Amino acid sequence: MFDLDGTLVETNIDFTKMKSSIIELSRNYGIPDSIELPIDILEIINLSKSFLINSRAAIIPDEYNQSAYKILRNMEVHASQNAKIMEGAKELLSILRQSNIKICIVTRNCREASEISINKTGIIYDIMLTRDDTSDIKPNPNHLLSTISAFNISPNHAVMVGDHWIDILAGRRAGIKTVGLLHPTKNQDVFSKYQPDLIINSLHELRKALDNSKC
């Protein structure tokens, strides 16, 4: 099981700009400055919508929700136009296919942007679950467990590979092994809170690990 952006493909989504845009939207819809907004962008949207619902803001919660996800979609689709396959991904996926290992993509991106990235890079996979396909999005373990159940296998026969702590937390909650992809140019303590079973610096390293396990 793989995360998509930052793991199999690189789109360079500007998450800093995305987060600031969502925070600005939330404040414009009346979320007070006194409310501390979470780090995770999707959690910011959920918290803001819940606040508007609890404040009985008539139709505003739905308006806010649509506006927020429109911002995410537009930025994701724009970035996916320049999607490039990650180094080592093509070879790794080919080996998995030859070994009859199922390939699943579990992404918090929208389906439209994900399919653009897939088509541009030629990624092969068996199942892909985007945020548009489930109400239980990573780090909710059901996002992962839904793909596992589709193949009628147990969690101990699955591995989650991702470049973000959210991927690792989702995997741990689902009871499956996790692999953290640590980009040399990214924050080196990204996995300090939730330790994966294996940390790699490239997908080439994962390929070698699989070779050694004789999968």
Side-chain angles (χ1 to χ4, degrees), residues 3 7 9 12 17 28 83 117 120 144 157-158 171 178 193 211:
D3 174 49
T7 302
V9 303
N12 294 313
K17 181 178 179 181
N28 289 340
S117 293
K120 283 189 170 292
L144 279 60
H157 288 154
T178 56
K193 187 174 182 180
D211 288 341

Side-chain angles (χ1 to χ4, degrees), residues 175-204:
I176 69 177
K177 296 292 185 181
T178 56
V179 176
L181 176 57
L182 185 60
H183 297 284
T185 58
K186 299 291 180 67
N187 193 331
Q188 297 297 294
D189 64 356
V190 64
F191 300 125
S192 60
K193 187 174 182 180
Y194 302 105
Q195 285 290 324
D197 296 288
L198 174 68
I199 294 179
I200 57 175
N201 293 301
S202 71
L203 294 178
H204 289 301

Side-chain angles (χ1 to χ4, degrees), residues 12-207:
N12 294 313
I13 295 175
D14 190 340
F15 288 106
T16 300
K17 181 178 179 181
M18 180 183 286
K19 181 178 179 180
S20 64
S21 297
I22 295 300
I23 291 176
E24 181 181 4
L25 178 71
S26 297
R27 299 307 186 196
N28 289 340
Y29 268 82
I31 308 303
D33 292 339
S34 58
I35 292 183
E36 183 177 353
L37 297 175
I39 295 175
D40 180 38
I41 295 173
L42 297 184
E43 282 302 311
I44 293 175
I45 296 175
N46 290 336
L47 185 148
S48 298
K49 184 179 179 182
S50 295
F51 177 87
L52 293 172
I53 290 174
N54 293 333
S55 64
R56 304 176 184 276
I59 198 174
I60 290 180
D62 287 337
E63 288 182 353
Y64 166 81
N65 204 55
Q66 291 175 10
S67 297
Y69 278 103
K70 184 177 181 180
I71 290 173
L72 300 192
R73 176 194 166 279
N74 288 344
M75 294 187 70
E76 290 167 355
V77 168
H78 176 75
S80 66
Q81 303 294 335
N82 299 312
K84 296 179 180 179
I85 192 165
M86 292 287 288
E87 183 179 353
K90 184 177 181 180
E91 296 82 359
L92 174 62
L93 296 178
S94 178
I95 288 174
L96 294 179
R97 179 70 74 190
Q98 293 170 17
S99 302
N100 294 317
I101 297 176
K102 298 299 183 182
I103 300 168
C104 307
I105 296 174
V106 186
T107 174
R108 284 156 53 101
N109 286 358
C110 69
R111 175 158 284 274
E112 182 180 359
S114 299
E115 289 183 344
I116 292 173
S117 293
I118 292 294
N119 291 334
K120 283 189 170 292
T121 56
I123 294 288
I124 56 172
Y125 67 94
D126 295 289
I127 288 180
M128 178 168 68
L129 254 65
T130 72
R131 72 160 179 267
D132 295 332
D133 304 314
T134 178
S135 58
D136 298 324
I137 305 169
K138 295 182 299 183
N140 190 309
N142 288 335
H143 199 171
L144 279 60
L145 293 173
S146 295
T147 64
I148 294 174
S149 63
F151 294 113
N152 194 29
I153 63 174
S154 63
N156 60 359
H157 288 154
V159 178
M160 178 66 205
V161 184
D163 69 317
H164 198 282
W165 63 265
I166 284 177
D167 302 309
I168 307 307
L169 178 57
R172 290 179 59 176
R173 286 175 171 174
I176 69 177
K177 296 292 185 181
T178 56
V179 176
L181 176 57
L182 185 60
H183 297 284
T185 58
K186 299 291 180 67
N187 193 331
Q188 297 297 294
D189 64 356
V190 64
F191 300 125
S192 60
K193 187 174 182 180
Y194 302 105
Q195 285 290 324
D197 296 288
L198 174 68
I199 294 179
I200 57 175
N201 293 301
S202 71
L203 294 178
H204 289 301
E205 289 186 18
L206 180 55
R207 175 184 172 180

